[in-house]
Amino acid sequence: MAILKIAKLGHPVLLKKTNEISDLKDTDLKKIIYDMSETMIDANGIGLAAPQVHLSHRLFIYRNPDIEEEEKIKVSILINPQIDKISDDTEDDWEGCLSIPGMSGLVRRSKKIKYSGVDLKGKKISGEAEGLHARVIQHEFDHLNGILYTSRLADKRAFGYSEEIEKFWKKNDEEKS
Ligand code: NI
């Protein structure tokens, strides 16, 4: 396994629409997913899409915050995914991205979604997600279409260095609630 180099904001690979994966038996794919998992865990991320490691494939991996037990990391894979919103309800919350290190933004996402795709063996995966789980899937799915969270800010001003956001935005949120 290997830790891959992560593409950072400004790299054109992050803005490109990815290609469907037609050959799941391609041995490289298994290695790519192992390496992506190692890279995501090393970088302390909860999701990683192929373009972030310079690969224009329609796949991402993520950690499901709802089902993880303490200290046990479970990595989920979604190949050739599709998502649909279940309702028009949206939710604003803070996001970061391994391709935009050190920064955070307040992003508007669908509250509840349906997702589907296949795993490495070609087995169909589908489910519903809400809250943080739904947010992670939408964020990673956007990467496959060359979209970064910075183009989905709930408020254009709500973006900046995480330490300033912590100090000036999140603190205010807590005081309000
Ligand atoms: Ni990201």
Side-chain angles (χ1 to χ4, degrees):
M1 294 214 282
I3 291 169
L4 306 169
K5 188 177 178 204
I6 297 177
K8 305 271 166 64
L9 180 65
H11 195 296
V13 73
L14 295 172
L15 304 176
K16 252 173 77 182
K17 198 167 181 230
T18 51
N19 305 308
E20 290 257 327
I21 294 168
S22 49
D23 186 9
L24 288 171
K25 289 203 186 76
D26 193 340
T27 44
D28 261 6
L29 203 54
K30 205 169 174 182
K31 187 179 179 332
I32 287 168
I33 287 168
Y34 279 136
D35 287 348
M36 280 177 66
S37 304
E38 202 181 16
T39 305
M40 177 182 72
I41 292 163
D42 174 71
N44 242 325
I46 52 172
L48 188 70
Q52 294 184 274
V53 290
H54 308 85
L55 297 167
S56 254
H57 297 317
R58 270 193 109 62
L59 80 89
F60 60 77
I61 59 169
Y62 65 98
R63 293 167 59 180
N64 180 348
D66 298 340
I67 59 169
E68 266 188 22
E69 291 160 38
E70 248 175 276
E71 286 173 40
K72 214 173 153 204
I73 294 174
K74 191 183 174 299
V75 177
S76 303
I77 303 159
L78 219 47
I79 296 170
N80 297 335
Q82 282 201 300
I83 60 174
D84 289 294
K85 59 179 182 187
I86 292 174
S87 80
D88 286 332
D89 291 351
T90 60
E91 212 165 35
D92 297 344
D93 210 344
W94 296 96
E95 291 186 17
C97 179
L98 294 178
S99 293
I100 315 174
M103 319 260 329
S104 305
L106 187 66
V107 183
R108 183 155 299 162
R109 299 279 184 196
S110 293
K111 219 170 169 176
K112 252 179 130 179
I113 57 155
K114 268 198 303 205
Y115 63 90
S116 63
V118 294
D119 69 8
L120 207 42
K121 288 176 183 151
K123 202 181 108 201
K124 208 168 173 345
I125 302 166
S126 65
E128 289 184 6
E130 59 186 309
L132 181 57
H133 184 199
R135 179 168 296 274
V136 173
I137 291 175
Q138 290 172 86
H139 176 119
E140 300 312 326
F141 183 80
D142 267 353
H143 274 299
L144 306 184
N145 292 326
I147 299 167
L148 300 170
Y149 78 79
T150 44
S151 59
R152 293 204 190 276
L153 296 176
D155 174 341
K156 278 185 184 154
R157 298 168 303 163
F159 172 67
Y161 289 99
S162 305
E163 45 184 293
E164 307 289 20
I165 296 290
E166 260 332 302
K167 244 190 268 174
F168 299 109
W169 289 76
K170 292 197 184 173
K171 208 167 163 264
N172 291 345
D173 283 355
E174 276 158 30
E175 278 163 11
K176 264 185 265 165
S177 57

